[in-house]
Amino acid sequence: MSFIRHALLLLIVILCPLRAAAHELDPGYLELAALGEDRWRVTWRTPDVAGTPMPISVSLPLACAPREGPAPKFDGKGWSTTWVVACEGGLAGETIRIDALERTSTDTLVRYEIEPGTVEVRRLTATEPAFTVDVVPGGLGIFTSYLEFGVVHILEGIDHLVFVFALLLLTGGTRKLFWAVTAFTLAHSITLAGSTFGWIALPSAPVEVVIALSIVFLAYEISLPSQRRDALTERFPGFVAFGFGLIHGLGFAGALREIGIPQGDVPLALLAFNLGVETGQLIFIATLLAAWFMIRRIFPGILAHLGRMTAIASYAIGTTSAYWVVDRLSGF
């Protein structure tokens, strides 16, 4: 086996947990939709923690009234509330904070408009729970925000990462690996752009099911000896990667739709998000290979157990992704 296959075999076993869901705890979500005349519709959503809202709250600028809305209601996944505020002088130059976010392990996505149609996005974390609204939104701010969101989305999306695990494990060689990753990138870039510009429109629920099914398929192929695998998958994994990449791109597009895109800078935001996704994938792969290099140096005898690790990895991936399929079908 190649060096890359060895790396992926071990780290799939170590890092691929049998999880009940494909993503981490949902983040908080704050939206400030401009209504004109210094008025905004506020939508505030907090994650559910044991049947109650997570104890975080919105701190709007002092010029805004009312600064708090009605009590949130449970919507099936989180707690939501909506109200209209008037902010004398507007939001530009003002500070928005999520109180108590620094005491949590989640983050909050803020989507706001300084004026109708001018969308900006910020991601607040435990280490950065507040930000000041730019007086004049700039292209650099848009680029960095969407780049960061792309990186975070891929690194927190365990289903996409498991797919990359399985895809790289299946390739076995440097040339096949290069073409498979290139094909996957090209495919999801096409559907991400097509969905963003409105050329492709599919509901998110079946897309998420097919994403999980794509991982089941790769897990099955990995479990077979190379001579028994599907001929197309074994000889031309890039074609398989391209086909499934089209579906994964629709999944990335769904995440992008949730935060919205600034209407005047759609190409820039789309490019930044896509670059963020690719950066996240490269970080993930580089981490695996670096960790495997260290482990091989410490435990050189680990190579004798690769066959058993292959079986464990394929069944772990298959079991987890099969659960995701059933769980997502139940949400229809």
Side-chain angles (χ1 to χ4, degrees), residues 115-144:
E115 57 186 35
T118 306
V119 179
E120 299 289 328
V121 177
R122 292 294 296 262
R123 175 175 170 265
L124 300 181
T125 65
T127 57
E128 188 182 0
F131 75 99
T132 300
V133 178
D134 294 333
V135 176
V136 179
L140 179 61
I142 293 173
F143 184 86
T144 55

Side-chain angles (χ1 to χ4, degrees), residues 43-302:
T43 301
W44 170 232
R45 187 175 185 278
T46 58
D48 178 70
V49 179
T52 60
M54 177 178 283
I56 57 177
S57 59
V58 179
S59 178
L60 296 174
L62 293 175
C64 296
R67 300 183 70 205
E68 295 184 358
K73 296 182 179 180
F74 187 63
D75 60 15
K77 291 186 63 179
W79 297 79
S80 301
T81 183
T82 302
W83 72 100
V84 174
V85 298
C87 301
E88 185 177 353
L91 295 178
E94 300 290 343
T95 298
I96 297 174
R97 166 180 287 275
I98 305 300
D99 289 332
L101 187 63
E102 64 274 12
R103 296 197 291 270
T104 73
S105 58
T106 190
D107 52 25
T108 295
L109 182 68
V110 181
R111 181 181 186 271
Y112 65 95
E113 297 175 325
I114 295 180
E115 57 186 35
T118 306
V119 179
E120 299 289 328
V121 177
R122 292 294 296 262
R123 175 175 170 265
L124 300 181
T125 65
T127 57
E128 188 182 0
F131 75 99
T132 300
V133 178
D134 294 333
V135 176
V136 179
L140 179 61
I142 293 173
F143 184 86
T144 55
S145 294
Y146 280 85
L147 180 71
E148 179 185 8
F149 186 74
V151 172
V152 171
H153 177 71
I154 192 66
L155 293 181
E156 291 186 349
I158 189 66
D159 49 354
H160 296 297
L161 294 183
V162 170
F163 179 85
V164 173
F165 261 127
L167 179 62
L168 297 180
L169 180 61
L170 190 65
T171 58
T174 303
R175 180 174 295 182
K176 287 184 179 180
L177 169 62
F178 171 79
W179 287 114
V181 172
T182 300
F184 182 69
T185 298
L186 176 62
H188 75 63
S189 298
I190 290 172
T191 48
L192 175 58
S195 181
T196 300
F197 287 109
W199 304 331
I200 305 171
L202 289 176
S204 60
V207 168
E208 293 298 322
V209 171
V210 175
I211 288 174
L213 283 172
S214 71
I215 306 171
V216 173
F217 172 80
L218 291 185
Y220 173 72
E221 291 294 313
I222 293 168
S223 70
L224 299 175
S226 59
Q227 64 271 19
R228 292 181 52 197
R229 291 175 183 166
D230 179 82
L232 180 63
T233 304
E234 179 64 17
R235 296 183 59 189
F236 305 106
F239 285 106
V240 176
F242 185 87
F244 287 140
L246 294 174
I247 300 299
H248 282 252
L250 294 174
F252 297 145
L256 196 55
R257 281 196 302 271
E258 290 180 0
I259 65 171
I261 298 181
Q263 296 304 307
D265 294 282
V266 173
L268 180 63
L270 181 60
L271 173 64
F273 180 80
N274 203 45
L275 288 176
V277 169
E278 296 314 307
T279 301
Q281 289 181 167
L282 292 175
I283 291 172
F284 179 62
I285 294 170
T287 301
L288 298 182
L289 298 180
W292 173 247
F293 176 79
M294 295 299 297
I295 291 170
R296 281 190 64 188
R297 297 292 298 270
I298 298 171
F299 305 106
I302 197 73

